[in-house]
DNA sequence: AAATAAAATGACTGATTAATCACTTATCAA
DNA sequence: TTGATAAGTGATTAATCAGTCATTTTATTT
């Protein structure tokens, strides 16, 4: 087993899955594009399902590394949430394949095998720090779970918007505006 | 051909597709559950793909009927958007299977065959009236397409939240709060 | 009641698939 | 050089699936 080859298989498969979906991407095509045999593919990943989930885990680990850099304890709630906002969106824009894969995986039946799992635990802390910042004063503070869904959805929408409209002149300005829109909603008058 | 049987097939297939996804629901199972033969199924819908899309069209037509009732010309922007907000969410909560199907279809490759299509045109007017109400004054008014995505995502999140958390005591109160959260974001200070 | 048309049936086909496994090739320590 | 282990191969297998079609059943007309 060779870690570089493993990553190579994961990346090749991710691109093909993004292009054709999980069920329309036969293992034979993945092997062909990765220039290995089907047998080798199944040496590295015992089942197609495990391959699909291994990609998810890899992408999650990769994205988490980027996000954690941007959390600072001493900053204000506004600044912390804003820098998180920018970091998450920029990661998606810089890694569109990974971003697309996360969206596809999350809206597929495979995600169910991941509910209440380790990978989500580290994100949990991330989420808790968002809630600590927002919940006490925000509109909707009775529904913290909804607040998280709401932020998550807006983050995804903003990222998708940039990826699908690459003609946007000033991406940073858009990101700031999208943050203001959501932040503005939170602050009680 | 019998319209009642056609609807029966559509409803049966919708439930199975929701349970197992498009690719893990063989036509044979749909026929079995609908208590017809595979042959009959293919008499009504020449291909599986056409069945999948026929369900989408049917659900869209059904949902549109409900929404249109709630638009009033004489009301204020706030009241109009709020009553739209309530109507859309309540439709989803009252029709969870249909709602789930729309979400699944929209995040599947089948949706691509529907971009720039008639079914979306009637929704287009709906969207335009939202933009007319919001864009001129709102934060993010430079990005009207994003505003629509943002509202759409929030609507879906709120609906999903209610469906997945049926213990919520006062659903109306939650819907109002979720609307305030988003409306509050729009209004410039 | 007989003739005709329409609707329904389900065993079957051909294509595709994930996964296997008997075999070959590469690696490397003794 | 040898022998042992690990890595890689791809034809093959067994299963599944969308879609077909010759036949039967039901409905309608004459």
């Amino acid at each position: 087993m060779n870690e570089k080859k493993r990553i190579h298989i994961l990346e090749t498969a991710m691109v093909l899955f993004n292009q054709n979906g999980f069920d329309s991407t036969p293992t034979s095509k993945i092997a062909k594009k990765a220039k290995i045999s089907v047998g080798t593919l199944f040496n590295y990943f015992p089942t197609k399902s495990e391959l699909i989930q291994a990609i998810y885990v890899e992408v999650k680990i990769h994205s988490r590394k980027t996000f954690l850099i941007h959390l600072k304890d001493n900053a204000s709630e506004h600044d912390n949430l804003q820098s998180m906002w920018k970091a998450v969106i920029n990661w998606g824009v810089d890694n569109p394949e990974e971003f697309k894969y996360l969206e596809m995986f999350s809206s597929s039946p495979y995600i169910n095998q991941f509910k209440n799992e380790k990978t989500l635990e580290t994100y949990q802390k991330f989420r808790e720090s968002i809630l600590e910042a927002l919940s006490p004063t925000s509109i909707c503070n009775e529904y913290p779970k909804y607040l998280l869904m709401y932020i998550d959805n807006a983050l995804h929408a903003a990222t998708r918007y940039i990826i699908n409209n690459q003609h946007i002149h000033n991406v940073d300005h858009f990101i700031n505006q999208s943050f203001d829109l959501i932040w503005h909603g939170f602050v009680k008058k």
Side-chain angles (χ1 to χ4, degrees), chain A residues 26-186:
Chain A
T27 48
S28 58
K29 271 202 187 132
I30 299 170
K32 204 173 196 175
K33 185 145 191 239
K35 293 188 177 169
I36 54 163
S37 72
V38 205
T40 304
L41 179 64
F42 280 92
N43 281 346
Y44 279 81
F45 305 97
T47 66
K48 187 183 179 181
S49 172
E50 280 172 75
L51 167 62
I52 290 169
Q53 294 181 39
I55 300 172
Y56 179 72
V57 171
E58 208 68 34
V59 173
K60 275 280 172 185
I61 290 171
H62 176 213
S63 71
R64 197 174 52 211
K65 275 183 193 161
T66 315
F67 298 165
L68 288 180
I69 307 168
H70 291 264
L71 273 188
K72 280 154 199 161
D73 285 339
N74 53 343
S76 72
E77 286 158 12
H78 173 278
D79 290 357
N80 235 336
L81 200 63
Q82 191 183 41
S83 84
M84 178 279 293
W85 186 265
K86 289 178 181 176
V88 173
I89 293 178
N90 279 318
W91 180 84
V93 172
D94 294 339
N95 304 273
E97 289 287 348
E98 279 86 349
F99 176 75
K100 195 177 176 189
Y101 191 87
L102 288 187
E103 290 220 306
M104 202 177 64
F105 188 91
S106 300
S107 64
S108 83
Y110 293 101
I111 191 67
N112 294 323
Q113 296 166 305
F114 265 92
K115 297 227 166 106
N116 316 314
E117 278 281 336
K118 290 171 217 161
T119 320
L120 293 177
E121 266 173 37
T122 343
Y123 275 90
Q124 199 51 39
K125 286 170 194 166
F126 200 66
R127 285 159 174 244
E128 274 162 22
S129 69
I130 294 174
L131 282 187
E132 273 170 39
L134 285 180
S135 266
T137 52
S138 165
I139 291 175
C140 258
N141 63 0
E142 303 157 69
Y143 311 101
K145 272 188 190 170
Y146 174 68
L147 276 179
L148 285 175
M149 282 175 70
Y150 178 70
I151 296 176
D152 224 58
N153 272 289
L155 273 171
H156 277 254
T159 310
R160 238 182 296 123
Y161 181 76
I162 298 171
I163 292 175
N164 296 334
N165 300 278
Q166 270 148 344
H167 58 273
I168 306 173
H169 294 301
N170 192 337
V171 174
D172 284 338
H173 178 251
F174 168 74
I175 296 179
N176 280 326
Q177 287 278 296
S178 68
F179 177 74
D180 287 349
L181 183 64
I182 203 161
W183 177 259
H184 197 177
F186 292 136

